[in-house]
Amino acid sequence: MAYTCFYCFHESDQLAPLCNNPACYNEPYTPIVRALSGDASTVARHMMRKNLQLGDLECPACGSIEYSYRCEMCHKDIIPEFRSQPPILTIALTGARNSGKTVYMVSLVQTLRNMATASSYAFTGMYDTDAHFNSAYYKRIYQDNEAIPATPIEYQKPLFYRIQKQNSAPIYIVIRDIAGEVLQKNDSNDPALHYIPASDLTLFLFDPYTIPSLMNELAGLIPERQGGGIGGEVVLNALLNNLIMPYKGRRTNLALVFSKFDVVQILGETNTSSLPEIMGNKGLSFLVDDTSTRPARWNIEEALILDQDVRSLLVKTEGDEVLLAAEVAFHDTPHKLATFAVSALGNPPGQHYLSEHGVAPFRCADPVMWAFYRKFGRALFS
């Protein structure tokens, strides 16, 4: 059975059992002839093979009969539910430092959880995902109202979720947060660089604070942001270079996400800003969000209208350089590129707390709903 590892995206043409003896499975991966019978000419030291006399699988190196199914490249356990290649949406979350990726990821998960509940779906973290998510992210943001440090450059554990309605087959979502420095470093051996082009959806978050025209108008309206990092255009160019070559003949869907949209909403209410003329149009799709409580209302036609509205806003705020760069890279597959506007907090961060008014995510699930429709031809919570 062929298998793709959703940690490192290594592909194997055969799902093989590996020896549980650390002395065997800690060896580095080497190309092998994949066979479970005893007549293989070359067999990996840690791959079990059949003992023709006993009829059982055993390790050719240590003789152990204890084994498990793990990726032969990264040695991560293969999630049993994934062995049969069920419906899975894989998501890569990218952006420059301070673009709000991690906070957005937390609000995305919470929004999907709320949408699932409203639609009578169970939304369940697999294995240690819920424990990891609650301790590393949820408690700090939703309960302690604390900021989360920027995504570390080192490997980040993906989040695995199962979404299922009674008497229906489950759907799986895999989310991985990737530091912008990983893209800039461009280490071909980094599994993250294999994950991104192979994923179903790559999100690139860009920060309104990095748009000069908006920065000038924001002065004095909200607390000044502390810290810095590599610019969004550097990370975006690295990302687009990573996506130039389609993965196995197909290309990931790219969502350009205007993050921290609450900042733009504040500017739209001031008399000194140039935005009221466009933000005053209450018919614009990015000013209303009722899909989080009424998921069944989501449809692809409204997603296309949202895309056009956000593109117009980018041009108005002089943030269209990001859009133009992506359009050039995706000129041959424009249907795989869309724009979105989200707010992970619902309000600008305060001076002493992550949010002075509590966390109220806005339109965070839109990119995922769009990508799910692109892959499966239906709404996620239909």
Side-chain angles (χ1 to χ4, degrees):
M1 180 190 300
Y3 179 77
T4 300
C5 174
F6 289 98
Y7 287 95
C8 69
F9 270 97
H10 170 69
E11 293 191 347
S12 175
D13 58 12
Q14 183 167 280
L15 183 59
L18 304 183
C19 178
N20 280 349
N21 184 348
C24 294
Y25 72 70
N26 281 339
E27 287 198 352
Y29 168 80
T30 54
I32 58 173
V33 175
R34 298 170 178 84
L36 297 183
S37 61
D39 60 355
S41 58
T42 307
V43 181
R45 175 180 171 86
H46 54 275
M47 179 177 287
M48 306 296 285
R49 59 178 173 177
K50 191 171 185 179
N51 184 310
L52 297 183
Q53 292 182 331
L54 300 178
D56 294 327
L57 293 178
E58 70 174 13
C59 177
C62 70
S64 172
I65 60 173
E66 299 295 328
Y67 65 89
S68 60
Y69 290 93
R70 296 190 308 278
C71 173
E72 58 188 6
M73 175 66 81
C74 69
H75 294 165
K76 299 291 186 183
D77 287 334
I78 293 174
I79 296 176
E81 291 91 334
F82 288 4
R83 295 178 189 171
S84 59
Q85 300 290 321
I88 301 175
L89 187 73
T90 52
I91 301 170
L93 185 57
T94 69
R97 187 172 293 269
N98 285 330
S99 60
K101 299 193 313 311
T102 304
V103 177
Y104 168 75
M105 180 179 69
V106 177
S107 290
L108 168 63
V109 169
Q110 287 304 110
T111 300
L112 290 174
R113 191 187 303 275
N114 293 338
M115 294 174 75
T117 300
S119 303
S120 301
Y121 281 77
F123 187 89
T124 310
M126 303 175 65
Y127 292 89
D128 64 343
T129 287
D130 279 340
H132 172 65
F133 178 83
N134 290 335
S135 62
Y137 306 119
Y138 180 83
K139 182 178 184 299
R140 297 183 66 173
I141 293 178
Y142 277 77
Q143 295 180 354
D144 299 338
N145 204 3
E146 294 179 352
I148 291 181
T151 305
I153 300 177
E154 60 269 16
Y155 172 82
Q156 290 296 294
K157 180 185 297 185
L159 301 177
F160 296 94
Y161 291 99
R162 180 195 300 112
I163 303 175
Q164 187 172 16
K165 199 168 189 175
Q166 189 173 8
N167 300 323
S168 299
I171 299 162
Y172 299 92
I173 291 181
V174 182
I175 307 173
R176 185 167 177 181
D177 185 4
I178 299 171
E181 289 85 348
V182 170
L183 285 162
Q184 188 184 29
K185 187 177 179 182
N186 196 29
D187 181 359
S188 60
N189 293 319
D190 194 319
L193 293 186
H194 299 281
Y195 183 99
I196 294 172
S199 64
D200 298 306
L201 170 64
T202 297
L203 296 101
F204 177 79
L205 270 65
F206 58 95
D207 188 344
Y209 285 82
T210 64
I211 300 176
S213 62
L214 290 181
M215 289 181 66
N216 294 333
E217 296 188 35
L218 284 171
L221 293 178
I222 59 177
E224 184 176 351
R225 185 177 67 177
Q226 301 297 318
I230 56 178
E233 68 282 355
V234 175
V235 179
L236 178 61
N237 289 334
L239 172 64
L240 295 177
N241 288 335
N242 184 254
L243 298 178
I244 284 177
M245 295 301 294
Y247 176 80
K248 291 190 175 297
R250 70 174 181 84
R251 174 168 281 178
T252 181
N253 295 293
L254 177 60
L256 296 180
V257 181
F258 201 144
S259 66
K260 306 176 185 178
F261 189 63
D262 45 83
V263 170
V264 180
Q265 291 174 313
I266 288 179
L267 286 177
E269 298 171 357
T270 64
N271 295 326
T272 58
S273 170
S274 60
L275 291 183
E277 61 180 271
I278 185 171
M279 299 294 285
N281 182 357
K282 300 305 180 182
L284 289 172
S285 55
F286 53 65
L287 296 178
V288 181
D289 180 17
D290 59 358
T291 56
S292 59
T293 55
R294 303 173 66 184
R297 288 181 57 86
W298 188 93
N299 61 74
I300 190 62
E301 289 77 16
E302 290 190 9
L304 296 176
I305 294 173
L306 173 65
D307 176 42
Q308 294 302 315
D309 287 345
V310 176
R311 288 174 187 244
S312 298
L313 180 63
L314 287 173
V315 173
K316 185 67 177 178
T317 58
E318 300 178 9
D320 53 339
E321 289 186 6
V322 170
L323 176 60
L324 292 174
E327 286 178 335
V328 170
F330 277 67
H331 70 278
D332 55 339
T333 54
H335 57 287
K336 288 182 171 288
L337 172 65
T339 59
F340 301 90
V342 307
S343 173
L345 297 176
N347 301 279
Q351 290 181 309
H352 305 293
Y353 300 99
L354 183 63
S355 175
E356 300 284 1
H357 305 285
V359 181
F362 182 81
R363 303 209 72 112
C364 286
D366 284 346
V368 175
M369 301 291 282
W370 168 72
F372 187 88
Y373 183 91
R374 291 275 311 128
K375 182 173 183 178
F376 298 105
R378 64 180 179 88
L380 176 56
F381 299 106
S382 57

